[in-house]
Amino acid sequence: MTDFFSPKEVATAIGVSESSLKRWVDKGLIPAEKTGGGHRRMSLDAVLKFLREQGRALSEPQAIGLPAESGRRPPSNDSDHHEFLRFLLCGDEPSARRIVMDAFLNGYSVAKIFDSIILPGFSEIGNLWHCGTLEVYQERRACEICSRVIHELRRAVGSGPPDGPVAIGGTLDGDPYTIASSMSEVVLRECGWRALSLGNMLPFNTLMKAVEIDRPRLMWLSVTSIRSPEQFVANFNVLFDTATSLGCVLVVGGQALTADIRPLLRYTTYCDNFRHLEAFSKTIIPREN
Ligand code: B12
């Protein structure tokens, strides 16, 4: 799916005339690029930014690739996570996407969406799986839906300014969990970083190379599963020393970084959740808007 839309498509999505839309573009309210043939083209993230700033509802969200019915409901609220969990459990992907896109259009930061809507659902999924109330396929399906929802938010926030500082991260060897790392990437992008998740199961040596070659200002690690704690602590501290000697901060989080293991590790900051990451990253790079 393309992430660029014509004035006609955006006008249909918002429910205004194409000429009004073109006027807004010409006034600079929605940044647009011109094609070789001189036609205006708007990126999805620019259109969404405009909608969030103006508090505008959507009339035909599908015209810009958003879930049907999104952008039309009252402000998001505290019970959204119950609904989101319900949709995850029954595999209703369009409704799960809609809840998340509505929260985004209502002005929630992606960190707030992750912490207050998606993550409470995931803890509950873990509990239900643990008590045997949930089939394995239902848990895996929820993970798949969640990955696609995160990807949709990734498109919605855009790729960050081309001169933004670089951030990279992932999970370590023996750690198959992917969701927290993907979420970290999107949170940092929204805060103006050129963030790229390197994926899961990364050996320490390759992360050391990534720091040396890509020279990020920030590296995040999500740690949910540790194979050998002694080896982990030794490797982790070498990685920290390498990163900081090259001017890179090391941000960590994850269920396996328990109160027993944390005092043995060197890192720049530990985050319990994504709003911590958002706040920390802004202390290094304040967003200009
Ligand atoms: C999805 C899932 C899986 C999937 C992951 C798929 C994928 N693509 O990632 C798969 C199938 C791989 C899996 C496998 C297993 N799992 Co599992 N899994 C989960 C589940 C349901 C969700 C985990 C998740 O990704 N949550 C989303 C993330 C974002 O949330 P989070 O991890 O809680 O992280 C929070 C913070 O720590 C922080 N954070 C985390 N990392 C970072 C990084 C940064 C930079 C920042 C800022 C913040 C941050 O942000 C979050 C906000 O609160 C949990 C349930 C739970 N309660 O967590 C069980 C859970 C973690 N799994 C569990 C188990 C037992 C297993 C298996 C052993 C099952 C088995 N018998 O095979 C294997 C082990 C695999 C391994 N080698 O380690 C247990 C672990 C119990 C324990 N502590 O030992 C849990 C808790 C389920 C339970 N209640 O029993 N699992």
Side-chain angles (χ1 to χ4, degrees):
M1 185 198 295
T2 171
D3 276 351
F4 283 87
F5 300 96
S6 66
K8 189 174 181 190
E9 289 167 320
V10 177
T12 307
I14 304 180
V16 294
S17 69
E18 197 178 338
S19 56
S20 301
L21 199 280
K22 282 181 178 165
R23 249 196 329 274
W24 293 342
V25 171
D26 294 341
K27 278 192 193 159
L29 293 174
I30 312 179
E33 292 170 14
K34 289 232 166 136
T35 62
H39 299 292
R40 300 169 187 86
R41 287 284 177 272
M42 283 149 277
S43 66
L44 178 66
D45 54 298
V47 174
L48 293 177
K49 188 164 181 257
F50 168 79
L51 293 171
R52 292 173 93 190
E53 283 167 0
Q54 304 277 321
R56 276 190 170 266
L58 282 165
S59 143
E60 280 191 44
Q62 304 97 307
I64 52 170
L66 297 179
E69 306 297 324
S70 57
R72 286 188 201 158
R73 20 179 275 143
S76 304
N77 62 62
D78 287 349
S79 63
D80 278 352
H81 70 271
H82 294 301
E83 260 195 277
F84 184 77
L85 172 64
R86 190 161 61 79
F87 294 136
L88 273 191
L89 290 177
C90 65
D92 182 350
E93 182 165 342
S95 300
R97 284 175 63 207
R98 179 181 50 73
I99 295 218
V100 166
M101 279 321 291
D102 277 344
F104 185 74
L105 288 165
N106 279 326
Y108 278 35
S109 71
V110 288
K112 186 172 176 188
I113 294 175
F114 293 154
D115 287 345
S116 65
I117 299 179
I118 301 187
L119 291 165
F122 259 90
S123 317
E124 189 52 26
I125 283 176
N127 295 339
L128 294 172
W129 170 84
H130 190 60
C131 340
T133 323
L134 200 68
E135 283 296 326
V136 170
Y137 88 88
Q138 291 171 314
E139 185 227 41
R140 297 293 198 281
R141 181 174 65 188
C143 288
E144 291 290 304
I145 293 175
C146 192
S147 299
R148 288 191 285 272
V149 166
I150 297 169
H151 186 72
E152 185 151 50
L153 285 172
R154 189 179 189 269
R155 288 175 56 226
V157 299
S159 49
D163 56 351
V166 173
I168 57 175
T171 80
L172 298 161
D173 219 1
D175 187 336
Y177 289 84
T178 55
I179 293 171
S181 183
S182 305
M183 287 179 167
S184 303
E185 179 193 60
V186 184
V187 169
L188 289 170
R189 282 181 176 224
E190 190 176 43
C191 295
W193 291 77
R194 279 187 293 150
L196 198 64
S197 174
L198 305 177
N200 60 358
M201 310 276 282
L202 295 152
F204 273 103
N205 287 345
T206 204
L207 281 174
M208 227 94 84
K209 284 279 174 216
V211 172
E212 285 162 9
I213 296 169
D214 289 359
R215 291 303 183 95
R217 285 272 319 277
L218 182 154
M219 174 180 269
W220 74 86
L221 289 177
S222 174
V223 189
T224 313
S225 175
I226 297 177
R227 261 191 208 144
S228 148
E230 295 74 32
Q231 194 74 57
F232 173 83
V233 170
N235 286 337
F236 188 98
N237 288 332
V238 174
L239 177 62
F240 173 78
D241 292 340
T242 307
T244 47
S245 72
L246 294 170
C248 170
V249 297
L250 186 59
V251 182
V252 296
Q255 297 180 29
L257 297 181
T258 54
D260 294 342
I261 207 160
R262 286 210 303 275
L264 307 175
L265 302 175
R266 292 194 287 278
Y267 49 80
T268 314
T269 192
Y270 166 80
C271 299
D272 283 308
N273 57 44
F274 293 104
R275 268 173 290 187
H276 289 166
L277 176 63
E278 180 182 53
F280 173 76
S281 83
K282 285 179 180 170
T283 64
I284 309 182
I285 158 193
R287 194 167 166 77
E288 74 291 352
N289 54 7

